[in-house]
Amino acid sequence: MTNQNVVVPDAKQGIDITIAMVLPKSLFSPVVPKPLPAAPGGYFTITRKRFSKKTETGGKISSWVDSMRDSSPTRVKSTTSLSETEEKNSWIVNHPSALNMFEQIVKGSKGKQIVMFLDYDGTLSPIVEDPDRAFMTNEMREAVRDVARYFPTAIVTGRCRKKVYSFVRLAGLYYAGSHGMDIKGPSKNNCKYEKGGVLFQPASEFLPMIDEVYNVLLERTKSIPGAKVENNKFCVSVHFRCVEEKMWAILVEQVRSVLNDYPKLRLTQGRKVLEIRPTIKWDKGKALEFLLESLGYANSTDVFPVYIGDDRTDEDAFKVLRNRGQGLGILVSKVPKETNASYSLQEPKEVKDFLRRLVEWKRSSLQGQRRA
């Protein structure tokens, strides 16, 4: 662990600002005082002398509310006078439909093993007001089942692993819940890990803390109409989809006040949800890498990973694929958004169509091989 302090004097304002940069060298970050929201891998703790604490806190809350107004990932903000249609057409050029580019996609996978990674909410199921009723259709379940017959397939979600399994109800898949902090899958001969299937829980020590925070948040948010707190085992989700916007600042303030007592936890944002997670260097991108390694494709050039997701948290996986120079990411969105994905699909129905087309292509390829 390295700790670097940079003191910047401001003669005009009479303010000294000390920025402490804490850069973890291991998986688990040590305790740091009252961390600000930051990307995985580091925290920035800022101390201001003679600076209004009330003003500082208000600024943080305002920033969170502004972020909550944006869709996830962040919607592209046009710097020109382009109309919405022109803006979308421009975005589509850089993120074309995976359905329209299907032939090019499968051509790029020639001679390689396709491995499928699928987010759940907003990808396999529609986004709904009640997260407990985010059911996938039978047609989608059949499409996922058929894909898993031909390609190793994983569901990677922020949900509790057992919860998402109760929605999907398909054996033979890998399930990575809690943003990849709870991974389990079917027993495979080529899997390097536990005989009963992949089982990896890098944040096990945080379980008592997560349960405690969940119960505190239930109490603190019960006065905010529409707020729903969900225990996803290794993280806690605070859904605000049904909360009036005028109450968002109060909700964020309540959540942050709870986290002040838990410096080993951090606050992040997803699609209409605030999420409390352990301060470990683990996310959906790390889960993708772990699963590829468990399947024997850690350093292989013969693998073609395809990750489909709609949320800001899926960007970690899209970045991994870009950095590896292998496979591709597909963002599910009806509006232009900043993303590291290469292709796009508009909604779960198009995801289902893409999966079905992938199965038809594979079946046709196998039949051609048999005839040959």
Side-chain angles (χ1 to χ4, degrees), residues 228-246:
K228 182 176 179 62
V229 183
E230 183 179 17
N231 188 336
N232 285 313
K233 190 169 183 177
F234 291 99
C235 61
V236 176
S237 299
V238 182
H239 300 271
F240 59 89
R241 181 169 298 277
C242 296
V243 177
E244 290 187 27
E245 188 171 326
K246 65 182 181 181

Side-chain angles (χ1 to χ4, degrees), residues 210-241:
I210 291 293
D211 286 340
E212 186 175 319
V213 168
Y214 167 71
N215 289 320
V216 174
L217 283 172
L218 277 179
E219 184 67 24
R220 291 283 186 90
T221 62
K222 67 181 183 181
S223 62
I224 301 176
K228 182 176 179 62
V229 183
E230 183 179 17
N231 188 336
N232 285 313
K233 190 169 183 177
F234 291 99
C235 61
V236 176
S237 299
V238 182
H239 300 271
F240 59 89
R241 181 169 298 277

Side-chain angles (χ1 to χ4, degrees), residues 34 51-58:
K34 297 182 181 179
F51 191 86
S52 171
K53 185 174 182 180
K54 182 177 180 181
T55 301
E56 181 181 0
T57 302

